[in-house]
Amino acid sequence: MTENPADLRLSDFPVQRTLPLRWGDIDMYGHVNNTVHYALIDTAVNGWITEATGTHPRDLPATGLVVETGCRYLAEIGPADVPVLGIRLEKAGTSSIRYEIGIFTGEGGPAALARFVHVYVDPTTRRPVPIPDLVREALVRELGA
């Protein structure tokens, strides 16, 4: 992941998805709980895959399993914030994709910076297979793979 996230701006991420918060996303401390960050990240990546490929991820010839995640929390996200998630490609291999996701709530750097790794597997054998062509094409077209 990026060494100094404070230097990042939303414009550094070629794909951007706005995901408004729900009432239940705010915890007893008055901010977004860490688990909600992960739900936002998963929703952003899979929503992008659906839109960019024109195919729901469950209808692809391979299943994208999340095999690694990590998140650096840099600022609180509160009830009045409307997160915009920026997605960019960190690395694409034969069967895996490593995304970097910034969660932004205004001007300046991200409130959180995450890593999200998909490994594509055969739906029956659960063994790694190449990234589906539709996904690879979307990576090239929208994320510059």
Side-chain angles (χ1 to χ4, degrees), residues 13-14 19 23 44 61 66 70 78 89 92 101-103 112 115 118 134 142:
F13 295 81
L19 297 173
W23 180 256
V66 178
L89 181 65
I101 296 100
I103 303 177
R115 170 179 285 159
H118 266 153
L134 283 173
E142 297 190 21

Side-chain angles (χ1 to χ4, degrees), residues 2 5-17 84-89 100-111 113 142-144:
T2 301
D7 293 338
L8 290 173
R9 296 297 175 263
L10 185 56
S11 60
D12 294 320
F13 295 81
V15 171
Q16 300 167 10
R17 300 184 58 84
V84 178
L85 283 78
I87 302 171
R88 67 184 186 177
L89 181 65
E100 186 173 45
I101 296 100
I103 303 177
F104 294 83
T105 57
E107 299 298 318
L113 188 62
E142 297 190 21
L143 297 179

Side-chain angles (χ1 to χ4, degrees), residues 116-139:
F116 187 88
V117 181
H118 266 153
V119 170
Y120 282 88
V121 299
D122 178 277
T124 303
T125 66
R126 307 306 260 189
R127 300 296 308 152
V129 296
I131 296 167
D133 290 340
L134 283 173
V135 176
R136 176 84 60 190
E137 291 163 8
L139 290 172

